[in-house]
Amino acid sequence: MLSRVAESLYWTSRYLERTKNTARMIAVNASLTLDLPSEEDHWAPLVEAMGCRASFDAAHGAPTADNVVGFLTYDTENPDSLAASVHRARSNAQSVREFITLEMWEQVNRLYLDLGRARDAGDTSADFYTNVVRSCQLIDGITDSTMSHDEGWHFVRMGRMIERADKTSRMLDARYLFRLPEDARRVRPYEGLLWAALLRSTSGLQMFRQRHRQITPERLVSFLVLDMAFPRSIRHCVAVAEEAVRAVSGTPNSTFRNRAEQLLGRLRADLDYTHEDEIIEKGVHEFIDALQLKLNEASAAILETFCPAPGAAPPRGGT
Amino acid sequence: MHFEKYDPDGFYDEMFEAPARPRRGARKLAERLESLPLEEIHARQRAAEQAFYGSGVTFTVYGDRSGTERIFPFDIIPRIVEAQEWRQIENGLRQRVRALNLFIDDVYHDQKILRDKVVPRELIRSARSFRTACIGANPPEGVWCHVTGTDLVRDGDGRYFVLEDNLRCPSGVSYVLENRRVLKQTFPVVFNTSRVRPVSDYSSHLWSTLQSLAPGRENPNVVVLTPGRFNSAYFEHAFLAREMGAELVEGSDLAVDGGVVVMRTTQGPERVDVVYRRIDDDFLDPLAFREDSMLGVPGIFEAFRNGRVALANAPGCGVADDKVIYAYVPKIIRYYLGEDAIIPNVPTLVCHDDTERRHVLDNLDTLVVKSANEAGGYGMLVGPHSTREEREEFGRAIEANPRNYVAQPTLALSRVPVIAGDGFEGRHVDLRPYVLYGKEIFVLPGGLTRVALRKGSLVVNSSQGGGSKDTWVLSDEPLDPSVQDQ
């Protein structure tokens, strides 16, 4: 498959996953603030989790519900906003319209058109975010059920999984950020609400309850980082991304022929043999910092391996 | 809905030989149309338009943020060409394309035709589409123009003329195939009983033509090179690539490596043998032609010259569709083949000749003036429909650069009925058949009938309010069921 097409599929899928996560995070945070004491700042952690603190501070003063929601939803100057993600997803999808199914394209285009209407109406209601999430889930479902499960689809999965692992880690980090490692095991007031909100941000509250019942920090880390069955856990995402890379290259498990396989394989093995206590001992924030770096490297390695820039040396393992 | 009020109005009508008297091949169609009430005909027209939207035969309007899509206007009444008419067209096109190809090969080699003063040397030297870089090039089997679209028109007496040769990436064939697909659903019964020759195997003919350009390469890798999705013909590029199962590539997907052309794939560089390029010569290779081109592939021209990749059409082909050289095509045919042109040219005055130019300048109000290198209905003056200012402007332009202009009489183009309001009205049409030239010449039995949908208009280009119709070439023999349109 053409490298350009693979790359566009990868980014289409990453931006759609980003859209979905952003919408869910904003919606959960908005509903959470209703239950929390009003003297605390509940919006700064969200900006932090989205990784756009610097650009927010440059454009706005103290975070408030209005300016954060506006900044994260419709501000196209903010490259991490919902609108920017949808715009990029559509523009990538449009460049590979001939390779994706008509149903996929139509749904992506509809998401884009709906967003434009909502922006004109200034809609930031809970329903709006629910619809965005649902629309993205619909695209995921249409993709998996209409697109042949061959090379192109594997690139869709790589993008989706790398993005999802990154977003799950950011959400976890946001709720941990203001805690020192020695505090990690102590439950503070409102903590229960915060944990539940975190799980809701990943659509994981129900699955968590079925697996662990009561929320504790250890179980939370175990579930969001290491659970193999939960589809938004970091370990699950890394394992699927690795499998997708191997499906394209044909390299057997436990060996590697290119850097993408090496990095993802190493990261997956690391997660396979990590205990949640180790993460908490070491510090969740530190763990996540290192993890995000590894995910970025893995993403760059995927693109260098399969989609080298014109003029770059052919990838190792290429024919 | 009846044709009794339909008036051919003194024009040659493709469907009626006289008021209310359909031509032989059109009788079944006329009967069928008359048996349908107006609402039903409108409903079928709408269903056909819906089918174009449904299959994505659309183009996006530039700069439209909502991504609104439009279809190329389509009229469901087909244009019918009878078998013996088509035989003459087919023979004429074979003859013309063979001669034009010999001409191209000659002007890039020995230039015998110039030495023999059949075509003025000055004309070639000054032709913008003449590429000195192509001198001495040897495309496989000496074939340069692999895909040609020739525009034909008929005058008031029904005689066919060649209006224009298009040897530079002619577009429109995807509409021929899609129009047929849709129209078969519109008039299934008439279609089945009319012995209409199939067009749906065009893509497989194109595929074999392109494959034949890489002799000695097993399973040659054929790609379609598009300028990208913002090009107005992008739908067609994607359509043909899909139909042939060829990769649709952009310039940045290709590179020249070790003298051969490769495409960048997820499995590493993959050699490309044949490029069906839908990019003009100018933009094909910044090292050989326009150096500011972002669309092309640096080094691809050299690979072509070295015989390491085939380009369809070969660079430099455009020299044969310069509108001034067109005037010499009958002589070109006679020179290379020793035959008279089977399909004549429209009589053409060339403005670089002093006598002819004076005649043109004195008669701008009755002539059609064309500039040598424009296409799409641009750079053209239709005398009888022009204003004094336009005529004065063209007059000045001709004086300033006589080489760049030709003039032709305004033809009373033939007409075909279209659905207009509550009845049928005649509209002017042309016909663009497609000719493939690989190991042999193949003429697609059909073509793009373009129709000037604006009442009275003679300009059929889609950029100027034109639409299209399906073209039915009839057979006078039973058709081979194995090649029927599916």
Side-chain angles (χ1 to χ4, degrees):
Chain A
M1 132 170 280
L2 287 175
S3 298
R4 169 178 54 86
V5 173
E7 189 168 356
S8 290
L9 290 171
Y10 177 85
W11 285 114
T12 303
S13 145
R14 268 201 86 150
Y15 285 122
L16 285 170
E17 186 66 27
R18 189 170 300 178
T19 301
K20 189 198 316 175
N21 284 289
T22 305
R24 206 184 269 125
M25 284 166 82
I26 297 171
V28 168
N29 211 69
S31 116
L32 177 67
T33 53
L34 303 175
D35 298 331
L36 291 177
S38 54
E39 66 272 17
E40 274 187 47
D41 170 16
H42 306 300
W43 289 98
L46 183 61
V47 177
E48 203 78 49
M50 299 287 297
C52 45
R53 186 68 201 235
S55 53
F56 179 85
D57 287 347
H60 299 278
T64 66
D66 280 352
N67 64 20
V68 171
V69 167
F71 181 73
L72 293 180
T73 307
Y74 294 123
D75 189 345
T76 41
E77 301 287 299
N78 169 17
D80 298 308
S81 73
L82 196 69
S85 297
V86 169
H87 191 86
R88 291 182 191 183
R90 176 182 184 263
S91 136
N92 274 285
Q94 195 171 35
S95 75
V96 288
R97 250 189 92 169
E98 292 305 316
F99 300 87
I100 60 178
T101 61
L102 183 63
E103 288 96 324
M104 286 167 72
W105 163 250
E106 284 176 344
Q107 198 54 43
V108 172
N109 199 36
R110 179 166 304 167
L111 170 66
Y112 170 82
L113 296 175
D114 287 349
L115 186 88
R117 275 191 287 274
R119 180 179 44 211
D120 293 345
D123 190 354
T124 54
S125 66
D127 275 353
F128 163 71
Y129 294 100
T130 308
N131 286 335
V132 170
V133 171
R134 196 166 294 156
S135 187
C136 292
Q137 288 171 331
L138 188 55
I139 296 168
D140 286 351
I142 290 173
T143 302
D144 292 348
S145 61
T146 64
M147 193 177 186
S148 289
H149 288 195
D150 57 14
E151 229 183 315
W153 182 69
H154 295 311
F155 281 97
V156 167
R157 284 200 305 163
M158 286 176 218
R160 188 191 287 163
M161 289 300 150
I162 297 277
E163 179 69 25
R164 189 181 288 173
D166 179 76
K167 280 292 174 290
T168 299
S169 76
R170 285 177 188 281
M171 292 184 217
L172 184 61
D173 198 27
R175 295 293 166 213
Y176 256 100
L177 207 57
F178 303 105
R179 316 189 57 185
L180 298 169
E182 59 269 23
D183 289 339
R185 289 175 198 277
R186 200 161 48 83
V187 178
R188 295 183 303 179
Y190 311 114
E191 202 91 287
L193 284 176
L194 290 173
W195 298 136
L198 170 57
L199 285 167
R200 268 204 303 276
S201 301
T202 64
S203 300
L205 184 57
Q206 217 185 333
M207 291 298 118
F208 179 90
R209 293 241 190 261
Q210 285 175 18
R211 179 115 170 77
H212 295 293
R213 310 202 183 279
Q214 288 305 305
I215 307 179
T216 68
E218 295 84 356
R219 288 174 185 167
L220 199 67
V221 169
S222 163
F223 185 70
L224 290 181
V225 179
L226 302 174
D227 195 291
M228 200 49 205
F230 180 56
R232 310 195 75 79
S233 92
I234 294 167
R235 184 171 155 218
H236 175 91
C237 294
V238 170
V240 174
E242 188 200 359
E243 181 206 312
V245 169
R246 290 184 187 282
V248 170
S249 64
T251 309
N253 284 334
S254 309
T255 61
F256 67 91
R257 279 189 233 154
N258 59 54
R259 187 141 176 85
E261 287 161 0
Q262 183 185 19
L263 294 180
L264 282 168
R266 186 185 287 164
L267 180 55
R268 188 205 22 89
D270 238 9
L271 293 168
D272 284 349
Y273 295 100
T274 295
H275 192 277
E276 56 266 26
D277 286 345
E278 292 173 85
I279 298 175
I280 292 173
E281 293 305 326
K282 222 168 108 188
V284 173
H285 178 63
E286 287 70 20
F287 172 82
I288 284 174
D289 250 6
L291 177 88
Q292 283 173 351
L293 204 64
K294 288 177 196 161
L295 288 171
N296 285 344
E297 285 170 354
S299 174
I302 287 173
L303 297 175
E304 275 160 30
T305 301
F306 299 110
C307 320
R316 269 184 289 167
T319 48
Chain B
M1 194 159 101
H2 286 276
F3 277 105
E4 59 207 9
K5 282 197 218 136
Y6 178 73
D7 183 5
D9 221 0
F11 291 101
Y12 185 89
D13 196 280
E14 300 277 347
M15 191 162 165
F16 289 88
E17 53 194 23
R21 266 201 8 235
R23 296 182 189 280
R24 198 165 60 96
R27 272 177 214 153
K28 283 187 187 123
L29 178 67
E31 274 167 31
R32 184 66 184 137
L33 286 168
E34 296 211 307
S35 75
L36 295 172
L38 176 67
E39 308 80 67
E40 177 62 23
I41 287 179
H42 280 162
R44 289 188 188 200
Q45 173 74 36
R46 279 195 304 275
E49 284 164 7
Q50 220 40 58
F52 281 110
Y53 280 113
S55 62
V57 191
T58 53
F59 56 91
T60 310
V61 179
Y62 294 140
D64 188 338
R65 203 184 61 140
S66 67
T68 310
E69 307 203 328
R70 311 274 161 84
I71 57 170
F72 187 31
F74 176 73
D75 181 85
I76 57 173
I77 303 178
R79 181 254 192 93
I80 294 176
V81 182
E82 304 212 24
Q84 85 277 7
E85 271 174 22
W86 183 256
R87 261 192 295 276
Q88 184 221 355
I89 292 174
E90 182 171 338
N91 291 336
L93 292 173
R94 282 176 190 281
Q95 177 199 50
R96 193 169 180 103
V97 167
R98 185 170 289 128
L100 287 175
N101 189 68
L102 289 168
F103 171 70
I104 300 167
D105 202 52
D106 187 20
V107 296
Y108 290 121
H109 289 98
D110 301 339
Q111 306 197 328
K112 288 191 222 107
I113 197 165
L114 309 185
R115 286 210 307 267
D116 291 339
K117 299 196 174 5
V118 176
V119 173
R121 183 175 293 273
E122 176 55 24
L123 216 51
I124 298 296
R125 209 194 52 73
S126 60
R128 222 181 56 189
S129 48
F130 177 73
R131 305 284 172 184
T132 46
C134 294
I135 293 174
N138 291 300
E141 313 291 333
V143 179
W144 295 71
C145 50
H146 311 99
V147 184
T148 304
T150 307
D151 292 342
L152 305 177
V153 293
R154 300 179 92 169
D155 67 358
D157 300 323
R159 281 179 303 181
Y160 278 98
F161 294 88
V162 174
L163 183 68
E164 233 172 83
D165 301 288
N166 296 288
L167 291 86
R168 288 175 280 188
C169 312
S171 62
V173 75
S174 58
Y175 294 108
V176 175
L177 306 186
E178 284 297 288
N179 286 356
R180 172 62 52 84
R181 193 181 61 76
V182 167
L183 207 73
K184 283 179 61 185
Q185 301 162 8
T186 310
F187 296 120
V189 178
V190 184
F191 185 88
N192 280 334
T193 53
S194 292
R195 285 192 185 167
V196 182
R197 293 181 63 187
V199 293
S200 63
D201 55 349
Y202 176 81
S203 312
S204 65
H205 283 280
L206 178 60
W207 178 247
S208 1
T209 301
L210 294 171
Q211 282 216 318
S212 76
L213 305 184
R217 294 278 297 166
E218 212 171 302
N219 274 328
N221 189 7
V222 177
V223 301
V224 178
L225 174 61
T226 172
R229 66 192 160 105
F230 297 111
N231 185 276
S232 58
Y234 180 74
F235 160 74
E236 175 157 307
H237 308 158
F239 177 92
L240 291 173
R242 195 169 54 229
E243 291 270 310
M244 292 193 292
E247 203 73 67
L248 177 66
V249 303
E250 297 176 12
S252 62
D253 295 325
L254 299 182
V256 176
D257 189 6
V260 301
V261 177
V262 294
M263 61 180 183
R264 301 189 301 122
T265 80
T266 54
Q267 309 294 327
E270 198 179 293
R271 176 153 179 199
V272 170
D273 301 296
V274 180
V275 180
Y276 178 35
R277 47 91 177 211
R278 300 291 299 257
I279 292 183
D280 284 344
D281 285 358
D282 274 338
F283 297 100
L284 187 60
D285 181 348
L287 300 182
F289 304 113
R290 270 176 68 159
E291 60 187 47
D292 60 342
S293 169
M294 304 295 284
L295 304 172
V297 185
I300 198 172
F301 182 75
E302 200 191 333
F304 159 76
R305 285 225 45 152
N306 294 333
R308 308 301 294 280
V309 71
L311 297 174
N313 291 352
C317 262
V319 69
D321 72 8
D322 179 293
K323 288 189 175 67
V324 183
I325 300 216
Y326 158 88
Y328 292 84
V329 174
K331 290 179 185 163
I332 289 172
I333 293 174
R334 166 151 295 282
Y335 181 78
Y336 293 109
L337 304 179
E339 299 168 4
D340 287 330
I342 297 172
I343 314 174
N345 265 16
V346 177
T348 302
L349 298 159
V350 292
C351 296
H352 66 91
D353 179 288
D354 294 341
T355 325
E356 295 188 7
R357 181 173 66 251
R358 261 195 305 281
H359 182 82
V360 171
L361 291 171
D362 289 344
N363 293 282
L364 282 176
D365 55 338
T366 58
L367 295 169
V368 174
V369 182
K370 295 171 170 179
S371 61
N373 280 301
E374 302 280 348
Y378 296 103
M380 190 168 144
L381 176 83
V382 182
H385 298 176
S386 64
T387 64
R388 174 189 294 272
E389 288 73 35
E390 286 166 342
R391 286 194 295 276
E392 282 170 0
E393 197 188 318
F394 260 79
R396 281 192 297 274
I398 292 170
E399 303 262 27
N401 186 4
R403 156 68 177 87
N404 200 38
Y405 291 92
V406 296
Q408 296 169 337
T410 307
L411 294 177
L413 298 187
S414 64
R415 302 203 313 183
V416 181
V418 300
I419 298 161
D422 292 345
F424 301 110
E425 287 179 16
R427 291 287 186 275
H428 297 292
V429 293
D430 76 352
L431 174 62
R432 176 181 287 184
Y434 294 85
V435 185
L436 299 176
Y437 194 171
K439 280 205 179 355
E440 54 209 20
I441 293 181
F442 167 78
V443 181
L444 182 72
L448 185 63
T449 290
R450 296 187 298 178
V451 47
L453 289 172
R454 274 204 302 261
K455 197 171 189 164
S457 169
L458 290 168
V459 187
V460 296
N461 303 79
S462 56
S463 47
Q464 314 277 323
S468 78
K469 282 171 167 289
D470 192 15
T471 310
W472 290 4
V473 172
L474 304 187
S475 170
D476 46 13
E477 301 154 25
L479 291 170
D480 175 357
S482 68
V483 293
Q484 282 297 287
D485 278 327
Q486 293 307 310

